Amino acid sequence: MSSIEYVRTTSESHWRQGGPYFDDLATRQRAVSPGLTLTTGLAATHQAILGDRVPLALDSHLAGRVTGAKGQIANPALVWDVAIGQSTHFSQRAKANLFYRGLVFRRLPEIGDTLYTETEVIALRENKRREGRHPTGMAALRIKTVDQDDHVVLDFARCAMIPMSAAEVTTGHQDDLSAIAPGLDRQGLRDLTADWHLSLLPATTPVTVEDRWAVEYGDVVTSAPELARLTLNLAAVHHDYRAGGSQRLVYGGHTIGLAAAQLSKTLHGLVAIIGWQSCDHLAPVYENDTVFSTIEVESVEPLSNGGRLVNLRSIVHKLQPDGRDPVDVLDWRVVGVMA
């Protein structure tokens, strides 16, 4: 069992029923989610919703030969979705999740592993007041996910916008959020893949800097509340239209997951996504929207074991029902492994 323990600070107001408001939060507050065991049923449901074609998660025999895994590797998108969902104690009342920073896999979990996530408030900034709008603030959260043997799986940051408990409340919090996880642990990426036998994979056409693809056909967003439930996501805005004002907001990981699936379908030599430099949500996505990606290669780094680290930028757009120009909804910089 994980040794992560429940930690409560002197002020326990963040344990309010229904989740904390922004003014309930203080830096260094922490919460731990229930553990979640990765099962074949969980993986199959996730696959049905998102359709990712990452080969290491689809073919357990291939994964064993390449990585030395003893069982089926869980899709990285399933793992980060669970970690994000487990981290939503502080963001149950969130109006939006705005960005992620510095996500690097320390190991790729296998089906049968159990994930535990501790979330810590690391920075707070009250937003500028706007007439006619309920006041809000930005909460930066550090998310650390370990497995049942206390091996670190992920350690990254995200930022949620959370309302005040009342219009007249003020906190004075003005932390600098631009300093949150400014870089990516590139050595960590190399360490993860150091023992992989990438030369066993079929050779693919090399990609080069500034290669660019526009995905011709998009993916419709379906089963949005099901994905939120599957990953233990508590944010009310994904479950109850009243929390969003008029309609449910799609969980950000859903849009990211469809973008990952489009990457895997476009870049046939993509073995796995193992890190995010950054991810910014630019506009909301709703169920039954159709999203598609524009993908660009930003840099390529050779690995000593026959593969490459490929730094990609994926801009995700959603179609407008009235035929207007598509709207950009996601700006995602990721690192993938290619044969």
Side-chain angles (χ1 to χ4, degrees):
M1 176 177 290
S2 168
S3 64
I4 284 180
E5 298 177 353
Y6 286 85
V7 179
R8 298 192 182 194
T9 58
T10 302
S11 170
E12 297 186 354
S13 58
H14 67 288
W15 297 88
R16 184 196 296 259
Q17 178 69 26
Y21 290 96
F22 182 78
D23 46 290
D24 291 327
L25 299 179
T27 55
R28 301 187 67 184
Q29 287 176 336
R30 299 183 214 168
V32 177
S33 74
L36 183 63
T37 300
L38 302 175
T39 65
T40 55
L42 198 70
T45 305
H46 190 268
Q47 173 74 18
I49 295 172
L50 298 171
D52 199 317
R53 296 169 61 89
V54 168
L56 289 188
L58 295 176
D59 186 336
S60 59
H61 300 289
L62 177 69
R65 293 196 301 272
V66 172
T67 71
K70 296 180 174 58
Q72 180 183 352
I73 287 179
N75 194 306
L78 170 60
V79 176
W80 72 56
D81 275 349
V82 169
I84 295 167
Q86 288 178 319
S87 76
T88 50
H89 168 80
F90 293 113
S91 54
Q92 292 178 64
R93 298 182 187 273
K95 297 302 181 184
N97 198 74
L98 301 175
F99 65 75
Y100 304 84
R101 296 288 184 268
L103 185 151
V104 172
F105 277 92
R106 307 299 176 178
R107 68 173 294 256
L108 294 184
E110 299 175 14
I111 298 301
D113 284 341
T114 299
L115 303 183
Y116 303 85
T117 295
E118 179 184 76
T119 306
E120 179 182 4
V121 180
I122 56 173
L124 296 164
R125 190 186 76 193
E126 188 170 327
N127 287 329
K128 184 177 179 179
R129 303 279 168 138
R130 295 186 180 181
E131 187 175 353
R133 292 191 179 184
H134 190 84
T136 59
M138 312 274 277
L141 307 172
R142 179 185 176 186
I143 299 154
K144 182 178 180 180
T145 300
V146 302
D147 65 17
Q148 68 279 358
D149 296 317
D150 285 327
H151 297 139
V152 176
V153 174
L154 291 170
D155 190 346
F156 63 103
R158 71 179 181 92
C159 181
M161 184 171 69
I162 301 171
M164 297 286 190
S165 61
E168 67 277 8
V169 173
T170 187
T171 66
H173 294 310
Q174 286 297 323
D175 293 335
D176 180 10
L177 301 186
S178 66
I180 302 301
L184 195 64
D185 179 6
R186 307 207 72 83
Q187 187 57 48
L189 298 171
R190 291 180 172 273
D191 290 345
L192 176 69
T193 59
D195 296 327
W196 291 11
H197 303 290
L198 295 170
S199 60
L200 297 177
L201 294 164
T204 57
T205 303
V207 297
T208 59
V209 175
E210 296 184 358
D211 277 352
R212 191 173 184 272
W213 301 268
V215 174
E216 185 173 2
Y217 295 108
D219 287 284
V220 64
V221 179
T222 59
S223 302
E226 287 80 4
L227 182 61
R229 295 178 192 132
L230 183 82
T231 55
L232 306 185
N233 195 307
L234 294 171
V237 73
H238 307 318
H239 301 278
D240 188 331
Y241 75 91
R242 296 173 298 175
S246 60
Q247 56 185 322
R248 285 180 287 102
L249 183 67
V250 166
Y251 160 49
H254 199 142
T255 306
I256 296 166
L258 291 175
Q262 291 176 6
L263 279 174
S264 69
K265 288 183 281 189
T266 302
L267 279 73
H268 301 296
L270 184 67
V271 178
I273 293 171
I274 59 171
W276 307 2
Q277 174 74 34
S278 62
C279 185
D280 295 279
H281 291 290
L282 308 177
V285 175
Y286 302 103
E287 193 152 22
N288 295 319
D289 282 347
T290 294
V291 297
F292 65 100
S293 310
T294 302
I295 302 161
E296 182 178 346
V297 178
E298 295 193 310
S299 65
V300 181
E301 304 171 33
L303 294 169
S304 60
N305 50 358
R308 294 156 287 169
L309 291 181
V310 183
N311 298 273
L312 304 164
R313 184 180 186 185
S314 174
I315 304 293
V316 181
H317 329 272
K318 73 173 181 180
L319 297 177
Q320 298 275 63
D322 56 7
R324 289 179 296 168
D325 290 341
V327 173
D328 293 349
V329 297
L330 195 73
D331 186 349
W332 188 34
R333 283 185 158 93
V334 303
V335 181
V337 181
M338 293 191 71

